[in-house]
Amino acid sequence: MALNKAEARRRTPNALRLAFSRAVQDWFYELIPFAIMNLFWLVLVLTVVAGPPATAAMLAVARDSAVGQGGEPRMFFFYVRRFFWRAWGLGLITLLGTVILTSDLNFFAGALSGVPAVFNMGIFFLLYVLVVWIEFLLIAWPLMVDHPEMPITNVLRNAAIVTLRVPGANLGLAVLVILLLVLSFAFGVLLALAFAAVVALLAQHYLHYQAPLLANFPRLPGEEIAEAEE
């Protein structure tokens, strides 16, 4: 499955603002269940082995909440088991790409430190590539969960297409998530009880607004008629 012109036309203006508003709203209405699942997520991430499956599970329960089914802690562990190996497939790609980019950043920082002009340009470029990588991951992970039948290679291709098609909005998404991470580390309780849940909801709603076909949300009443008229 790949994006087409009709799909591109269905992108929603102000997707980031709308996605953030919906994410906060969903998180607030299910504050206690999401706090519990966020704590589960943090504990499993600290085990390393269950980190990628826990991330996929958080995105899956966020999708349940986003489509009106409600996020339930019992479903969190169901999704951990369901996505365990699939999440590790994408998790290894995530780890490899992140290690390569951060290693390049450290290498060039040391190699170019004696040439200020080249150093500034090189570091800026690598930091930008790292941010684009974050944008890509924020699309790829919810896409992997929303389409369990889609091969990982197709997940990567479609995530790359969305990343390149809306660079400005994706940059805003990445910056927002980085700010949320910094805020969560500054206030540890947010990391333990809110960060993963809010980011998962944000990623799911954002994907839905930017690429409804890829988000694979259930259709709302009247959407079929609207598409037929297009």
Side-chain angles (χ1 to χ4, degrees):
M1 179 184 295
L3 288 175
N4 52 34
K5 292 182 179 180
E7 175 70 5
R9 288 197 301 269
R10 289 197 292 272
R11 291 202 301 267
T12 303
N14 302 316
L16 181 58
R17 177 179 60 82
L18 293 172
F20 183 70
S21 298
R22 287 293 306 276
V24 172
Q25 183 182 59
D26 290 347
W27 171 75
F28 181 77
Y29 284 147
E30 299 183 80
L31 182 62
I32 294 178
F34 272 121
I36 294 171
M37 290 185 287
N38 198 105
L39 188 57
F40 289 158
W41 170 83
L42 182 60
V43 171
L44 292 178
V45 164
L46 292 177
T47 69
V48 179
V49 173
T55 300
M58 181 60 76
L59 285 160
V61 293
R63 182 182 186 277
D64 288 346
S65 177
V67 301
Q69 297 176 2
E72 300 182 16
R74 65 181 180 84
M75 293 302 296
F76 179 87
F77 289 102
F78 169 79
Y79 289 129
V80 167
R81 295 190 298 271
R82 180 183 182 187
F83 291 108
F84 191 91
W85 295 112
R86 183 171 170 81
W88 258 112
L90 184 55
L92 289 175
I93 296 172
T94 299
L95 177 63
L96 179 61
T98 304
V99 168
I100 291 174
L101 287 174
T102 53
S103 298
D104 287 348
L105 190 60
N106 290 331
F107 172 78
F108 284 106
L112 301 176
S113 58
V115 188
V118 179
F119 172 82
N120 292 334
M121 292 177 58
I123 294 301
F124 176 81
F125 173 75
L126 288 174
L127 284 175
Y128 177 73
V129 172
L130 185 60
V131 170
V132 172
W133 176 245
I134 294 173
E135 298 171 16
F136 170 79
L137 295 177
L138 288 169
I139 300 296
W141 275 90
L143 177 56
M144 183 269 292
V145 169
D146 295 351
H147 286 275
E149 77 293 342
M150 184 181 290
I152 292 297
T153 53
N154 288 352
V155 169
L156 299 177
R157 181 189 64 186
N158 285 320
I161 291 172
V162 177
T163 301
L164 295 175
R165 277 194 169 177
V166 281
N170 291 335
L171 177 60
L173 175 66
V175 170
L176 179 56
V177 170
I178 292 171
L179 291 175
L180 290 173
L181 180 61
V182 171
L183 185 63
S184 297
F185 273 108
F187 301 94
V189 66
L190 296 179
L191 182 64
L193 301 178
F195 172 73
V198 172
V199 171
L201 287 163
L202 174 62
Q204 287 288 12
H205 282 299
Y206 181 80
L207 179 61
H208 175 60
Y209 284 125
Q210 292 290 18
L213 180 63
L214 293 181
N216 197 31
F217 281 19
R219 295 180 183 274
L220 296 175
E223 282 188 346
E224 295 87 350
I225 298 175
E227 288 185 8
E229 291 177 347
E230 291 179 0

Short mmCIF file of all heavy atoms in Angstrom, two decimals, residues 4-65:
data_model
loop_
_atom_site.label_atom_id
_atom_site.label_comp_id
_atom_site.label_asym_id
_atom_site.label_seq_id
_atom_site.Cartn_x
_atom_site.Cartn_y
_atom_site.Cartn_z
N ASN A 4 -1.32 7.84 -2.65
CA ASN A 4 -1.61 8.28 -4.00
C ASN A 4 -2.07 9.73 -3.98
O ASN A 4 -2.11 10.37 -2.93
CB ASN A 4 -2.65 7.37 -4.65
CG ASN A 4 -3.89 7.24 -3.76
OD1 ASN A 4 -4.26 8.19 -3.07
ND2 ASN A 4 -4.50 6.08 -3.77
N LYS A 5 -2.43 10.27 -5.15
CA LYS A 5 -2.82 11.69 -5.21
C LYS A 5 -4.09 11.96 -4.41
O LYS A 5 -4.23 13.00 -3.77
CB LYS A 5 -3.01 12.10 -6.67
CG LYS A 5 -1.70 12.11 -7.46
CD LYS A 5 -1.94 12.56 -8.89
CE LYS A 5 -0.64 12.59 -9.67
NZ LYS A 5 -0.84 13.03 -11.08
N ALA A 6 -5.04 11.04 -4.47
CA ALA A 6 -6.28 11.24 -3.71
C ALA A 6 -5.98 11.29 -2.23
O ALA A 6 -6.54 12.10 -1.48
CB ALA A 6 -7.27 10.11 -4.02
N GLU A 7 -5.07 10.42 -1.79
CA GLU A 7 -4.69 10.42 -0.38
C GLU A 7 -4.03 11.73 0.01
O GLU A 7 -4.27 12.29 1.07
CB GLU A 7 -3.73 9.26 -0.11
CG GLU A 7 -3.17 9.21 1.32
CD GLU A 7 -4.20 8.84 2.35
OE1 GLU A 7 -5.35 8.53 1.98
OE2 GLU A 7 -3.87 8.89 3.54
N ALA A 8 -3.19 12.25 -0.88
CA ALA A 8 -2.51 13.51 -0.59
C ALA A 8 -3.51 14.65 -0.44
O ALA A 8 -3.35 15.52 0.42
CB ALA A 8 -1.52 13.83 -1.71
N ARG A 9 -4.58 14.63 -1.24
CA ARG A 9 -5.58 15.70 -1.15
C ARG A 9 -6.35 15.66 0.17
O ARG A 9 -6.90 16.66 0.61
CB ARG A 9 -6.56 15.60 -2.32
CG ARG A 9 -5.98 16.00 -3.66
CD ARG A 9 -7.10 16.26 -4.66
NE ARG A 9 -7.94 15.10 -4.86
CZ ARG A 9 -7.72 14.19 -5.79
NH1 ARG A 9 -6.66 14.27 -6.58
NH2 ARG A 9 -8.53 13.16 -5.94
N ARG A 10 -6.39 14.46 0.80
CA ARG A 10 -7.17 14.34 2.03
C ARG A 10 -6.38 14.76 3.27
O ARG A 10 -6.87 14.65 4.37
CB ARG A 10 -7.68 12.90 2.18
CG ARG A 10 -8.77 12.54 1.19
CD ARG A 10 -9.51 11.30 1.67
NE ARG A 10 -8.67 10.13 1.61
CZ ARG A 10 -8.55 9.34 0.54
NH1 ARG A 10 -9.19 9.66 -0.58
NH2 ARG A 10 -7.79 8.27 0.58
N ARG A 11 -5.14 15.22 3.09
CA ARG A 11 -4.39 15.68 4.25
C ARG A 11 -5.10 16.88 4.87
O ARG A 11 -5.61 17.75 4.17
CB ARG A 11 -2.96 16.06 3.86
CG ARG A 11 -2.09 14.87 3.45
CD ARG A 11 -0.63 15.23 3.60
NE ARG A 11 -0.28 16.38 2.78
CZ ARG A 11 0.19 16.31 1.54
NH1 ARG A 11 0.33 15.15 0.95
NH2 ARG A 11 0.50 17.41 0.88
N THR A 12 -5.08 16.95 6.18
CA THR A 12 -5.80 17.99 6.90
C THR A 12 -4.89 19.16 7.22
O THR A 12 -3.81 18.97 7.79
CB THR A 12 -6.36 17.42 8.22
OG1 THR A 12 -7.19 16.31 7.93
CG2 THR A 12 -7.16 18.48 8.97
N PRO A 13 -5.29 20.40 6.87
CA PRO A 13 -4.50 21.56 7.28
C PRO A 13 -4.43 21.63 8.81
O PRO A 13 -5.33 21.18 9.51
CB PRO A 13 -5.29 22.74 6.70
CG PRO A 13 -6.14 22.15 5.62
CD PRO A 13 -6.46 20.76 6.06
N ASN A 14 -3.34 22.19 9.30
CA ASN A 14 -3.14 22.32 10.75
C ASN A 14 -3.20 20.96 11.45
O ASN A 14 -3.71 20.84 12.56
CB ASN A 14 -4.21 23.25 11.35
CG ASN A 14 -4.18 24.64 10.73
OD1 ASN A 14 -3.11 25.21 10.53
ND2 ASN A 14 -5.35 25.17 10.42
N ALA A 15 -2.66 19.94 10.78
CA ALA A 15 -2.72 18.58 11.33
C ALA A 15 -2.06 18.49 12.69
O ALA A 15 -2.57 17.81 13.60
CB ALA A 15 -2.08 17.60 10.36
N LEU A 16 -0.92 19.15 12.87
CA LEU A 16 -0.19 19.05 14.13
C LEU A 16 -1.00 19.64 15.28
O LEU A 16 -1.10 19.05 16.36
CB LEU A 16 1.16 19.74 14.02
CG LEU A 16 2.04 19.69 15.28
CD1 LEU A 16 2.30 18.24 15.69
CD2 LEU A 16 3.35 20.43 15.04
N ARG A 17 -1.59 20.81 15.05
CA ARG A 17 -2.39 21.46 16.10
C ARG A 17 -3.60 20.60 16.46
O ARG A 17 -3.89 20.40 17.65
CB ARG A 17 -2.83 22.85 15.63
CG ARG A 17 -3.74 23.57 16.64
CD ARG A 17 -4.13 24.94 16.13
NE ARG A 17 -4.84 24.88 14.87
CZ ARG A 17 -6.14 24.62 14.77
NH1 ARG A 17 -6.87 24.36 15.86
NH2 ARG A 17 -6.73 24.61 13.59
N LEU A 18 -4.28 20.09 15.46
CA LEU A 18 -5.45 19.26 15.72
C LEU A 18 -5.07 17.95 16.41
O LEU A 18 -5.75 17.50 17.33
CB LEU A 18 -6.17 18.96 14.40
CG LEU A 18 -6.83 20.15 13.70
CD1 LEU A 18 -7.32 19.74 12.32
CD2 LEU A 18 -7.97 20.70 14.54
N ALA A 19 -3.96 17.36 15.97
CA ALA A 19 -3.52 16.11 16.57
C ALA A 19 -3.14 16.29 18.03
O ALA A 19 -3.48 15.47 18.89
CB ALA A 19 -2.33 15.54 15.80
N PHE A 20 -2.46 17.39 18.33
CA PHE A 20 -2.07 17.64 19.72
C PHE A 20 -3.31 17.88 20.59
O PHE A 20 -3.39 17.38 21.72
CB PHE A 20 -1.13 18.84 19.79
CG PHE A 20 -0.63 19.13 21.18
CD1 PHE A 20 0.26 18.28 21.80
CD2 PHE A 20 -1.07 20.26 21.87
CE1 PHE A 20 0.73 18.54 23.09
CE2 PHE A 20 -0.63 20.53 23.15
CZ PHE A 20 0.28 19.67 23.75
N SER A 21 -4.26 18.63 20.08
CA SER A 21 -5.49 18.90 20.84
C SER A 21 -6.24 17.61 21.12
O SER A 21 -6.70 17.36 22.24
CB SER A 21 -6.39 19.87 20.06
OG SER A 21 -5.76 21.10 19.86
N ARG A 22 -6.39 16.75 20.11
CA ARG A 22 -7.08 15.48 20.30
C ARG A 22 -6.32 14.57 21.25
O ARG A 22 -6.92 13.85 22.07
CB ARG A 22 -7.26 14.78 18.94
CG ARG A 22 -8.31 15.41 18.04
CD ARG A 22 -9.72 15.24 18.62
NE ARG A 22 -10.01 13.84 18.92
CZ ARG A 22 -10.46 12.95 18.05
NH1 ARG A 22 -10.65 13.33 16.79
NH2 ARG A 22 -10.74 11.72 18.41
N ALA A 23 -4.99 14.57 21.14
CA ALA A 23 -4.18 13.72 22.01
C ALA A 23 -4.35 14.11 23.48
O ALA A 23 -4.55 13.25 24.34
CB ALA A 23 -2.71 13.80 21.60
N VAL A 24 -4.26 15.39 23.75
CA VAL A 24 -4.42 15.86 25.14
C VAL A 24 -5.83 15.57 25.64
O VAL A 24 -6.02 15.16 26.79
CB VAL A 24 -4.11 17.38 25.22
CG1 VAL A 24 -4.46 17.92 26.61
CG2 VAL A 24 -2.64 17.62 24.91
N GLN A 25 -6.82 15.76 24.78
CA GLN A 25 -8.20 15.49 25.16
C GLN A 25 -8.39 14.01 25.49
O GLN A 25 -8.98 13.66 26.54
CB GLN A 25 -9.13 15.90 24.03
CG GLN A 25 -10.61 15.73 24.35
CD GLN A 25 -11.48 16.12 23.16
OE1 GLN A 25 -11.38 15.54 22.08
NE2 GLN A 25 -12.34 17.10 23.36
N ASP A 26 -7.92 13.12 24.63
CA ASP A 26 -8.06 11.68 24.88
C ASP A 26 -7.32 11.26 26.14
O ASP A 26 -7.82 10.45 26.93
CB ASP A 26 -7.53 10.89 23.69
CG ASP A 26 -8.41 11.01 22.46
OD1 ASP A 26 -9.55 11.50 22.59
OD2 ASP A 26 -7.96 10.62 21.37
N TRP A 27 -6.12 11.80 26.31
CA TRP A 27 -5.33 11.46 27.50
C TRP A 27 -6.03 11.94 28.77
O TRP A 27 -6.08 11.21 29.77
CB TRP A 27 -3.95 12.11 27.38
CG TRP A 27 -3.13 12.00 28.63
CD1 TRP A 27 -2.47 10.89 29.12
CD2 TRP A 27 -2.88 13.04 29.58
NE1 TRP A 27 -1.84 11.19 30.29
CE2 TRP A 27 -2.07 12.51 30.61
CE3 TRP A 27 -3.26 14.38 29.66
CZ2 TRP A 27 -1.64 13.26 31.70
CZ3 TRP A 27 -2.84 15.13 30.74
CH2 TRP A 27 -2.04 14.57 31.74
N PHE A 28 -6.60 13.12 28.75
CA PHE A 28 -7.25 13.66 29.95
C PHE A 28 -8.49 12.86 30.32
O PHE A 28 -8.73 12.57 31.50
CB PHE A 28 -7.63 15.13 29.71
CG PHE A 28 -8.29 15.78 30.89
CD1 PHE A 28 -7.53 16.20 31.98
CD2 PHE A 28 -9.67 15.97 30.93
CE1 PHE A 28 -8.13 16.79 33.08
CE2 PHE A 28 -10.27 16.56 32.02
CZ PHE A 28 -9.50 16.97 33.10
N TYR A 29 -9.28 12.47 29.31
CA TYR A 29 -10.51 11.72 29.58
C TYR A 29 -10.23 10.32 30.12
O TYR A 29 -11.08 9.74 30.81
CB TYR A 29 -11.37 11.63 28.31
CG TYR A 29 -12.10 12.91 27.99
CD1 TYR A 29 -12.34 13.28 26.66
CD2 TYR A 29 -12.54 13.76 28.99
CE1 TYR A 29 -13.01 14.46 26.36
CE2 TYR A 29 -13.20 14.93 28.69
CZ TYR A 29 -13.44 15.28 27.39
OH TYR A 29 -14.09 16.45 27.10
N GLU A 30 -9.07 9.77 29.79
CA GLU A 30 -8.70 8.44 30.30
C GLU A 30 -7.40 8.53 31.09
O GLU A 30 -6.49 7.72 30.93
CB GLU A 30 -8.56 7.47 29.13
CG GLU A 30 -9.84 7.29 28.34
CD GLU A 30 -9.71 6.27 27.23
OE1 GLU A 30 -9.78 5.05 27.53
OE2 GLU A 30 -9.51 6.68 26.08
N LEU A 31 -7.34 9.51 31.94
CA LEU A 31 -6.12 9.85 32.66
C LEU A 31 -5.58 8.68 33.47
O LEU A 31 -4.39 8.34 33.39
CB LEU A 31 -6.39 11.05 33.59
CG LEU A 31 -5.21 11.57 34.39
CD1 LEU A 31 -4.12 12.07 33.46
CD2 LEU A 31 -5.66 12.69 35.34
N ILE A 32 -6.42 8.03 34.26
CA ILE A 32 -5.95 6.96 35.14
C ILE A 32 -5.49 5.73 34.35
O ILE A 32 -4.39 5.21 34.58
CB ILE A 32 -7.03 6.60 36.18
CG1 ILE A 32 -7.25 7.79 37.13
CG2 ILE A 32 -6.61 5.36 36.97
CD1 ILE A 32 -8.33 7.57 38.16
N PRO A 33 -6.30 5.22 33.38
CA PRO A 33 -5.81 4.07 32.60
C PRO A 33 -4.51 4.37 31.87
O PRO A 33 -3.61 3.52 31.84
CB PRO A 33 -6.96 3.81 31.62
CG PRO A 33 -8.16 4.37 32.27
CD PRO A 33 -7.69 5.56 33.02
N PHE A 34 -4.38 5.56 31.30
CA PHE A 34 -3.15 5.87 30.58
C PHE A 34 -1.97 6.05 31.53
O PHE A 34 -0.83 5.72 31.18
CB PHE A 34 -3.33 7.12 29.72
CG PHE A 34 -3.87 6.83 28.35
CD1 PHE A 34 -5.06 7.40 27.93
CD2 PHE A 34 -3.20 5.97 27.50
CE1 PHE A 34 -5.56 7.13 26.66
CE2 PHE A 34 -3.70 5.68 26.23
CZ PHE A 34 -4.89 6.26 25.81
N ALA A 35 -2.21 6.56 32.73
CA ALA A 35 -1.13 6.67 33.71
C ALA A 35 -0.61 5.28 34.09
O ALA A 35 0.59 5.05 34.20
CB ALA A 35 -1.61 7.42 34.94
N ILE A 36 -1.54 4.35 34.27
CA ILE A 36 -1.16 2.97 34.60
C ILE A 36 -0.37 2.35 33.46
O ILE A 36 0.69 1.74 33.67
CB ILE A 36 -2.41 2.13 34.92
CG1 ILE A 36 -3.09 2.64 36.19
CG2 ILE A 36 -2.05 0.64 35.05
CD1 ILE A 36 -4.44 2.01 36.46
N MET A 37 -0.86 2.50 32.23
CA MET A 37 -0.18 1.90 31.09
C MET A 37 1.16 2.57 30.81
O MET A 37 2.12 1.92 30.38
CB MET A 37 -1.08 1.95 29.85
CG MET A 37 -2.28 1.02 29.95
SD MET A 37 -3.29 0.97 28.45
CE MET A 37 -4.11 2.57 28.52
N ASN A 38 1.25 3.88 31.05
CA ASN A 38 2.52 4.58 30.89
C ASN A 38 3.56 4.03 31.86
O ASN A 38 4.73 3.85 31.51
CB ASN A 38 2.33 6.07 31.12
CG ASN A 38 3.46 6.91 30.55
OD1 ASN A 38 3.31 7.56 29.51
ND2 ASN A 38 4.62 6.90 31.20
N LEU A 39 3.12 3.74 33.09
CA LEU A 39 4.04 3.16 34.08
C LEU A 39 4.46 1.75 33.65
O LEU A 39 5.64 1.39 33.78
CB LEU A 39 3.36 3.12 35.45
CG LEU A 39 4.25 2.73 36.64
CD1 LEU A 39 5.44 3.67 36.76
CD2 LEU A 39 3.43 2.75 37.93
N PHE A 40 3.52 0.97 33.14
CA PHE A 40 3.86 -0.35 32.59
C PHE A 40 4.92 -0.21 31.49
O PHE A 40 5.89 -0.96 31.43
CB PHE A 40 2.63 -1.04 32.01
CG PHE A 40 1.63 -1.51 33.03
CD1 PHE A 40 0.30 -1.73 32.67
CD2 PHE A 40 2.01 -1.75 34.34
CE1 PHE A 40 -0.62 -2.18 33.60
CE2 PHE A 40 1.09 -2.20 35.28
CZ PHE A 40 -0.23 -2.41 34.90
N TRP A 41 4.69 0.76 30.60
CA TRP A 41 5.61 1.00 29.49
C TRP A 41 7.01 1.31 29.99
O TRP A 41 8.00 0.73 29.50
CB TRP A 41 5.09 2.15 28.63
CG TRP A 41 6.08 2.63 27.61
CD1 TRP A 41 6.32 2.09 26.38
CD2 TRP A 41 6.99 3.73 27.75
NE1 TRP A 41 7.32 2.79 25.74
CE2 TRP A 41 7.75 3.79 26.56
CE3 TRP A 41 7.24 4.66 28.77
CZ2 TRP A 41 8.73 4.77 26.36
CZ3 TRP A 41 8.22 5.61 28.56
CH2 TRP A 41 8.95 5.66 27.37
N LEU A 42 7.12 2.20 30.98
CA LEU A 42 8.42 2.60 31.49
C LEU A 42 9.16 1.41 32.10
O LEU A 42 10.36 1.21 31.86
CB LEU A 42 8.27 3.71 32.52
CG LEU A 42 9.57 4.26 33.12
CD1 LEU A 42 10.47 4.84 32.03
CD2 LEU A 42 9.27 5.32 34.18
N VAL A 43 8.45 0.60 32.88
CA VAL A 43 9.07 -0.57 33.51
C VAL A 43 9.57 -1.54 32.44
O VAL A 43 10.70 -2.06 32.52
CB VAL A 43 8.08 -1.27 34.46
CG1 VAL A 43 8.65 -2.61 34.94
CG2 VAL A 43 7.76 -0.37 35.65
N LEU A 44 8.77 -1.79 31.41
CA LEU A 44 9.16 -2.73 30.36
C LEU A 44 10.30 -2.18 29.51
O LEU A 44 11.17 -2.94 29.08
CB LEU A 44 7.95 -3.05 29.48
CG LEU A 44 6.84 -3.87 30.15
CD1 LEU A 44 5.68 -4.09 29.19
CD2 LEU A 44 7.38 -5.20 30.64
N VAL A 45 10.33 -0.88 29.27
CA VAL A 45 11.43 -0.28 28.52
C VAL A 45 12.74 -0.45 29.29
O VAL A 45 13.80 -0.70 28.68
CB VAL A 45 11.14 1.22 28.25
CG1 VAL A 45 12.42 1.95 27.82
CG2 VAL A 45 10.08 1.36 27.17
N LEU A 46 12.69 -0.34 30.60
CA LEU A 46 13.90 -0.50 31.41
C LEU A 46 14.44 -1.92 31.36
O LEU A 46 15.63 -2.15 31.62
CB LEU A 46 13.61 -0.09 32.85
CG LEU A 46 13.34 1.40 33.07
CD1 LEU A 46 12.99 1.69 34.53
CD2 LEU A 46 14.54 2.25 32.64
N THR A 47 13.60 -2.88 31.00
CA THR A 47 14.09 -4.26 30.85
C THR A 47 14.81 -4.44 29.52
O THR A 47 15.46 -5.47 29.31
CB THR A 47 12.92 -5.27 30.90
OG1 THR A 47 12.10 -5.13 29.74
CG2 THR A 47 12.10 -5.07 32.16
N VAL A 48 14.70 -3.50 28.61
CA VAL A 48 15.30 -3.50 27.27
C VAL A 48 14.63 -4.53 26.35
O VAL A 48 14.14 -4.20 25.27
CB VAL A 48 16.83 -3.76 27.31
CG1 VAL A 48 17.39 -3.76 25.89
CG2 VAL A 48 17.53 -2.70 28.16
N VAL A 49 14.57 -5.78 26.77
CA VAL A 49 14.01 -6.84 25.94
C VAL A 49 12.56 -6.54 25.55
O VAL A 49 12.15 -6.78 24.41
CB VAL A 49 14.09 -8.20 26.65
CG1 VAL A 49 13.37 -9.28 25.86
CG2 VAL A 49 15.55 -8.59 26.87
N ALA A 50 11.79 -6.03 26.49
CA ALA A 50 10.38 -5.75 26.23
C ALA A 50 10.14 -4.30 25.80
O ALA A 50 9.00 -3.90 25.65
CB ALA A 50 9.55 -6.06 27.47
N GLY A 51 11.21 -3.54 25.57
CA GLY A 51 11.05 -2.13 25.21
C GLY A 51 10.29 -1.89 23.91
O GLY A 51 9.27 -1.20 23.90
N PRO A 52 10.74 -2.46 22.78
CA PRO A 52 10.01 -2.26 21.52
C PRO A 52 8.57 -2.78 21.56
O PRO A 52 7.65 -2.08 21.11
CB PRO A 52 10.87 -3.01 20.49
CG PRO A 52 12.24 -2.99 21.08
CD PRO A 52 12.04 -3.12 22.55
N PRO A 53 8.32 -4.00 22.09
CA PRO A 53 6.92 -4.46 22.18
C PRO A 53 6.06 -3.55 23.05
O PRO A 53 4.88 -3.33 22.75
CB PRO A 53 7.03 -5.86 22.78
CG PRO A 53 8.41 -6.31 22.44
CD PRO A 53 9.25 -5.09 22.49
N ALA A 54 6.63 -3.01 24.13
CA ALA A 54 5.88 -2.11 25.00
C ALA A 54 5.53 -0.81 24.27
O ALA A 54 4.45 -0.26 24.43
CB ALA A 54 6.68 -1.79 26.26
N THR A 55 6.46 -0.32 23.44
CA THR A 55 6.20 0.88 22.65
C THR A 55 5.09 0.63 21.64
O THR A 55 4.19 1.46 21.46
CB THR A 55 7.48 1.33 21.94
OG1 THR A 55 8.50 1.60 22.93
CG2 THR A 55 7.24 2.58 21.10
N ALA A 56 5.14 -0.53 20.98
CA ALA A 56 4.08 -0.88 20.04
C ALA A 56 2.75 -1.02 20.75
O ALA A 56 1.70 -0.60 20.23
CB ALA A 56 4.44 -2.19 19.32
N ALA A 57 2.76 -1.62 21.95
CA ALA A 57 1.53 -1.80 22.71
C ALA A 57 0.93 -0.45 23.11
O ALA A 57 -0.29 -0.26 23.06
CB ALA A 57 1.80 -2.64 23.96
N MET A 58 1.78 0.50 23.50
CA MET A 58 1.28 1.83 23.86
C MET A 58 0.63 2.50 22.65
O MET A 58 -0.42 3.14 22.76
CB MET A 58 2.41 2.69 24.40
CG MET A 58 1.98 4.08 24.83
SD MET A 58 0.71 4.06 26.14
CE MET A 58 1.73 3.66 27.58
N LEU A 59 1.23 2.34 21.49
CA LEU A 59 0.65 2.91 20.27
C LEU A 59 -0.67 2.22 19.92
O LEU A 59 -1.59 2.86 19.40
CB LEU A 59 1.63 2.78 19.11
CG LEU A 59 2.80 3.77 19.15
CD1 LEU A 59 3.96 3.27 18.30
CD2 LEU A 59 2.35 5.15 18.67
N ALA A 60 -0.76 0.92 20.19
CA ALA A 60 -1.99 0.19 19.88
C ALA A 60 -3.14 0.61 20.78
O ALA A 60 -4.26 0.81 20.32
CB ALA A 60 -1.74 -1.32 20.00
N VAL A 61 -2.88 0.77 22.09
CA VAL A 61 -3.96 1.21 22.98
C VAL A 61 -4.30 2.67 22.71
O VAL A 61 -5.45 3.09 22.88
CB VAL A 61 -3.60 0.99 24.47
CG1 VAL A 61 -3.49 -0.49 24.79
CG2 VAL A 61 -2.32 1.71 24.86
N ALA A 62 -3.32 3.45 22.26
CA ALA A 62 -3.60 4.83 21.88
C ALA A 62 -4.52 4.86 20.67
O ALA A 62 -5.43 5.70 20.58
CB ALA A 62 -2.30 5.58 21.57
N ARG A 63 -4.32 3.94 19.74
CA ARG A 63 -5.20 3.87 18.58
C ARG A 63 -6.61 3.48 19.02
O ARG A 63 -7.60 4.04 18.52
CB ARG A 63 -4.68 2.84 17.58
CG ARG A 63 -5.53 2.73 16.33
CD ARG A 63 -4.99 1.65 15.39
NE ARG A 63 -5.72 1.66 14.13
CZ ARG A 63 -6.88 1.05 13.93
NH1 ARG A 63 -7.46 0.37 14.92
NH2 ARG A 63 -7.48 1.11 12.75
N ASP A 64 -6.72 2.52 19.94
CA ASP A 64 -8.04 2.15 20.46
C ASP A 64 -8.77 3.36 21.03
O ASP A 64 -9.96 3.56 20.79
CB ASP A 64 -7.90 1.07 21.54
CG ASP A 64 -7.50 -0.28 20.98
OD1 ASP A 64 -7.59 -0.47 19.76
OD2 ASP A 64 -7.08 -1.15 21.78
N SER A 65 -8.04 4.16 21.79
CA SER A 65 -8.64 5.36 22.38
C SER A 65 -9.00 6.37 21.30
O SER A 65 -10.07 6.98 21.35
CB SER A 65 -7.67 5.98 23.38
OG SER A 65 -8.19 7.18 23.92
#
